[in-house]
Amino acid sequence: MAMTDITFVRGFIHMANEGYLRGWHERNGGNLSYRVKPDEVSQIRDYMAPRKWAPIGTCVPGLAGEFFLVSGSGKFMGNVKEDPANTIALIEVDSQGENYRIVWGLEAGGRPTSELPSHLMNHEVKKRVTNGAHRVIYHAHPANLIALTFVLPLDDRTFTRALWEMATECPVVFPSGVGVVPWMVPGGREIAVETSRLMETYDVAIWAHHGLFCSGEDFDLTFGLMDTVEKSAEIMVKVLSMGGKRQTITSDNFRELAGPFGITLPEKFLDPQ
Ligand code: 2HA
Ligand code: ZN
């Protein structure tokens, strides 16, 4: 069996390709990472050939000793399915959470995603606040969501309400809402700090005029979250193009979802009763 036949590696490759087919990954846009489970790590020890340690660019002590499957910097998500060994990598985080080393993949050279600080800081937060349940961090550039960041005020409440109101499934799929990061320089620690701060509360963090990050338990749920957010954004773009809302789902309607769907929506996103 090859590394690329291992179940979680196949899941990663499948998700990268699905995102590419959706049109969310022009050129080298977007990136994906997966926190590997301990039993999966022991399954793949034989494939590992550690290279040199390199700085992560931030500090993630909560991820000391963890392994991540990540997309490669400058690599095209559309090429992952055809050539996984040259477009993705397995990395190990050191015992301080300050350095990483590639242990498999990127065979012709290269580095992990340019957004590694954001991915790992998001993982660190999500591992803590979900008791280890969340394992996938996904960054993509879906056009409708990005378009909305040029039109709607850039705050958590406006985006949460806009997305919730455009599809009844939305408050069920992301009941905690979405957070918004204003335009910032991508790729560094500063934007990673802002994004991971939002991940304390939300599973979705929008980067204005750029894209968004989603966090989830597995590949399907995280891809589905991105897909749901973008579908809702697409409906919002259509509604705005038709002159805006004439009617919508109300705050009291949202409250009615609590019983049948077992969700409690934060009152900060609802109108006072
Ligand atoms: O190129 O999307 O944010 C990957 C990116 C950077
Ligand atoms: Zn990006």
Side-chain angles (χ1 to χ4, degrees), residues 10-146:
R10 289 177 53 192
F12 185 105
I13 294 168
H14 177 76
M15 178 163 165
N17 195 60
E18 287 295 300
Y20 170 70
L21 294 175
R22 286 285 202 284
W24 300 340
H25 299 295
E26 77 291 340
R27 202 172 181 278
N28 61 320
N31 25 74
L32 175 61
S33 63
Y34 171 72
R35 187 166 57 84
V36 185
K37 296 175 183 166
D39 62 305
E40 292 169 331
V41 172
S42 40
Q43 222 187 324
I44 55 173
R45 287 271 174 204
D46 288 350
Y47 300 104
M48 294 187 194
R51 290 174 223 167
K52 278 209 272 293
W53 292 105
I56 292 168
T58 188
C59 192
V60 284
L63 300 177
E66 294 260 18
F67 288 81
F68 294 85
L69 192 59
V70 301
S71 52
S73 178
K75 303 300 181 189
F76 292 20
M77 293 285 255
N79 291 338
V80 169
K81 189 175 176 186
E82 202 59 44
D83 193 12
N86 279 308
T87 50
I88 67 177
L90 184 72
I91 63 167
E92 178 183 6
V93 174
D94 72 2
S95 59
Q96 309 298 307
E98 285 179 2
N99 301 287
Y100 75 86
R101 62 180 176 184
I102 295 173
V103 297
W104 174 89
L106 289 173
E107 283 172 358
R111 280 174 290 119
T113 167
S114 59
E115 302 294 359
L116 191 65
S118 280
H119 277 263
L120 293 186
M121 291 190 83
N122 289 344
H123 274 294
E124 189 181 39
V125 167
K126 282 303 184 188
K127 182 184 171 190
R128 172 168 46 79
V129 300
T130 71
N131 278 321
H134 278 210
R135 294 192 169 270
V136 181
I137 298 289
Y138 183 33
H139 171 58
H141 298 170
N144 292 289
L145 191 279
I146 296 169

Side-chain angles (χ1 to χ4, degrees), residues 170-228:
C170 286
V172 179
V173 175
F174 46 99
S176 48
V178 304
V180 183
V181 178
W183 187 88
M184 290 180 76
V185 176
R189 184 172 183 276
E190 215 175 311
I191 195 166
V193 169
E194 287 307 307
T195 310
S196 61
R197 197 175 51 79
L198 294 176
M199 285 290 176
E200 298 272 351
T201 316
Y202 308 115
D203 295 338
V204 180
I206 294 168
W207 281 6
H209 321 321
H210 181 146
L212 72 157
F213 273 80
C214 290
S215 172
E217 297 181 20
D218 62 26
F219 295 118
D220 278 350
L221 289 171
T222 314
F223 185 85
L225 177 55
M226 181 75 69
D227 204 11
T228 305

